[in-house]
Amino acid sequence: MLHSEYKLAPKHLISVDCIIFGYDKEELQLLLFNRKIEPQKGRWSLLGGWVNEEESVEDAARRVLKTITGLDDIYMEQVSAFSKPERDPGGRVVSVAFYALIRINEHDIQLVIKNGATWISLNKVPELIFDHNEMLNNALEKLRLKASYEVIGNQLLPESFTILQLRKLYDAIFQKKFDPGNFRKKILSFKVLEKMNKKNMKDSKKGAFYYRFKSNAKKSGLIPVVKTF
Amino acid sequence: MLHSEYKLAPKHLISVDCIIFGYDKEELQLLLFNRKIEPQKGRWSLLGGWVNEEESVEDAARRVLKTITGLDDIYMEQVSAFSKPERDPGGRVVSVAFYALIRINEHDIQLVIKNGATWISLNKVPELIFDHNEMLNNALEKLRLKASYEVIGNQLLPESFTILQLRKLYDAIFQKKFDPGNFRKKILSFKVLEKMNKKNMKDSKKGAFYYRFKSNAKKSGLIPVVKTF
DNA sequence: GCAAAAGTGTTCATAATACACCCATGT
DNA sequence: ACATGGGTGTATTATGAACACTTTTGC
């Protein structure tokens, strides 16, 4: 492109929308906002925000995530840009969607409530404004793809967790029941988890060892973690 | 977001950049532009263009692809949005990258030349302006992922092609040699190709049947076409 | 006859799947 | 005692990788 063209080119509003996933009560949860004021009062939406002059879309997403959850260093992945001219009735806005994974019990729940946000289980998600349902579906697809090829959970589960908890997370993500024995063997074969000297005595009589992600764990590349489709 | 906020929010230039892949001479080719004028004269770049007021980024990409190649209905996939504030020294521009697959012999080669574009083999790609090399790498990764999970080639090869041609395309994409027998069996097992009553007598003495993609072919989901990583 | 790709078949190693089975313990 | 998850083992099947082998035909 030419320098001279820069002044002539049209400018656009750019927003970010965040699909915020958490995990609680054996289900994937989504942080949603119920609009308190017109327009669109009472309708549900994702967390959104404008992109400022001197920031990347990633920085914008981190900024809005921080204002709502109080957390820095949230794990995020870009989903896609959404840009149909009519997607937002309020004006022509190009939005870049991100999904974020957060530990549901570590964020500032008061801050979240104050901001009018609610955790809603994935299979109870209502109709959302604009193209937010489409964004959610794209995000879920990306999350599933990621979970297929590497052991995820570090950003959704507590620091230490049992294989049962991890398996139930996978059950929730893929909406199917994984075989306990096979799942354990497969997950441990990746050698990204380390067994701790602590046992969870709450969820079973025998007690299950806690595991945590190794700090130096490398990713698996394209070796399937689970076969799901 | 609120209606009232729309007027206050900052506006940005948005561009699209296209990573245009073709296949010729047993190699993946990339359509690149050598700048004829200052600034950045002599340097190489991807095909880019501004996004207009009333069009989606996909429409913008299709539009610039059409002006350069003369083709409608080009196969495209969104790669990612690139938005570091300093990525373009000419100004703050958020760019959405797309990769496109085109049949290298079907486009208007005169139009391409007139526009100052050149096909360059993937392993001879020079340093590109801005973050265009990064865009290319992201696009290649996406293309490889796609080729891993479904039989691609419909958009890169001629309408009818031999298994040898398809295998060489895969060799080029993954920069490795696939075993002829195993590749044939695996590809045909997906049942997305149909054998034609025509033989290619050019590339072998015995002659190889031409195949083409079935028009109704369904995608494979997550069953690997080839193992590559 | 040789070379080179076409096309099929065979063998071996590895991985996924479906279970069986014993363990530990709170109730 | 028994129910429940923890954890390990195993038989069966499916898949991938390596490669042998036969076919065809232009040179």
Side-chain angles (χ1 to χ4, degrees), chain A residues 25-77:
Chain A
K25 304 199 183 67
E26 306 193 357
E27 292 198 64
L28 270 190
Q29 310 281 334
L30 197 60
L31 193 60
L32 293 176
F33 290 74
N34 195 315
R35 293 189 54 79
K36 294 268 180 294
I37 49 174
E38 294 295 347
Q40 308 275 359
K41 182 174 173 181
R43 299 196 59 198
W44 294 90
S45 76
L46 298 171
L47 170 64
W50 299 114
V51 175
N52 292 332
E53 274 300 350
E54 288 298 316
E55 73 182 350
S56 65
V57 289
E58 285 77 12
D59 287 341
R62 268 187 283 272
R63 176 172 50 74
V64 298
L65 282 166
K66 165 123 192 181
T67 61
I68 293 301
T69 64
L71 299 173
D72 294 295
D73 296 322
I74 290 180
Y75 179 88
M76 279 177 7
E77 294 270 354

Side-chain angles (χ1 to χ4, degrees), chain B residues 95-120:
Chain B
S95 189
V96 180
F98 288 84
Y99 77 77
L101 305 180
I102 83 175
R103 289 178 181 162
I104 214 161
N105 295 314
E106 281 187 13
H107 69 271
D108 185 340
I109 190 74
Q110 295 311 318
L111 190 58
V112 163
I113 290 168
K114 199 192 82 190
N115 285 300
T118 318
W119 284 102
I120 294 184

Side-chain angles (χ1 to χ4, degrees), chain A residues 1-3 6 10-12 35 37 39 51-53 55-57 78 80-81 83 88 90 92 149 222 229, chain B residues 1-3 6 10-12 35 37 39 51-53 55-57 78 80-81 83 88 90 92 149 222 229:
Chain A
M1 256 157 288
L2 308 177
H3 265 105
Y6 283 56
K11 288 189 155 194
H12 311 258
R35 293 189 54 79
I37 49 174
V51 175
N52 292 332
E53 274 300 350
E55 73 182 350
S56 65
V57 289
Q78 189 180 136
S80 185
S83 62
D88 182 339
R92 197 293 206 257
Y149 286 110
L222 275 191
F229 290 89
Chain B
M1 256 159 289
L2 308 176
H3 265 105
Y6 283 55
K11 289 191 156 192
H12 311 260
R35 292 188 54 77
I37 50 175
V51 174
N52 292 333
E53 274 299 347
E55 73 182 349
S56 65
V57 290
Q78 189 181 134
S80 185
S83 63
D88 181 339
R92 197 293 206 257
Y149 287 109
L222 274 189
F229 290 89

Side-chain angles (χ1 to χ4, degrees), chain A residues 119-146:
Chain A
W119 286 103
I120 294 185
S121 23
L122 197 62
N123 42 43
K124 287 178 192 145
V125 167
E127 198 197 329
L128 306 175
I129 61 168
F130 308 166
D131 46 6
H132 287 193
N133 286 98
E134 188 186 348
M135 289 178 175
L136 167 61
N137 290 337
N138 279 21
L140 248 184
E141 213 171 279
K142 281 225 167 188
L143 178 65
R144 289 193 175 125
L145 190 64
K146 188 182 180 64

Side-chain angles (χ1 to χ4, degrees), chain B residues 1 16 48 50-51 70 72 86 88 90 115 118 131 138 155-156 183 218 228:
Chain B
M1 256 159 289
V16 291
W50 299 114
V51 174
D72 294 296
E86 70 283 6
D88 181 339
N115 285 300
T118 318
D131 47 5
N138 279 21
Q155 289 81 21
L156 288 168
F183 182 83
K218 0 181 179 49
T228 52

